[in-house]
Amino acid sequence: MRQFNVKVIPNASKNEIAAQDGDFLKVKIKAPAQRGKANRELVKFLAQEFDVKKSAIDIIKGERGREKIVEISH
């Protein structure tokens, strides 16, 4: 399992990993930060980027904020 810090930027023009900002990986997500849409889009995007199933990705901390701790299990 790997854990890392993610800073989510919702309402972006496209889904992409923008940069590394200190301890955080900046990820731009197209979905708005409403009713969990950005979280679901983040999980889907990270699953594609790391070539794992969506069920292998968990948001450990930060469900309601932009700064999250994400865990990927193989």
Side-chain angles (χ1 to χ4, degrees), residues 11 14 17 33 40 46 50 55 60 73:
N11 296 320
K14 64 180 181 176
I17 296 175
R40 287 190 297 274
L46 291 177
F50 290 102
S55 61
I60 303 298
S73 58

Side-chain angles (χ1 to χ4, degrees), residues 18-59:
Q20 187 161 353
D21 183 20
D23 292 339
F24 286 89
L25 184 66
K26 277 187 170 178
V27 180
K28 293 183 179 180
I29 296 295
K30 292 189 296 185
Q34 298 173 347
R35 297 185 303 274
K37 290 180 184 178
N39 286 340
R40 287 190 297 274
E41 188 75 20
L42 174 66
V43 168
K44 181 179 171 184
F45 174 69
L46 291 177
Q48 290 172 345
E49 287 295 305
F50 290 102
D51 195 28
V52 296
K53 294 180 181 182
K54 290 188 291 187
S55 61
I57 297 180
D58 288 317
I59 298 173

Side-chain angles (χ1 to χ4, degrees), residues 6 8 39 59-69:
V6 175
V8 177
N39 286 340
I59 298 173
I60 303 298
K61 187 174 180 183
E63 283 272 333
R64 295 182 176 252
R66 290 185 184 209
E67 295 180 358
K68 304 175 186 303
I69 297 176

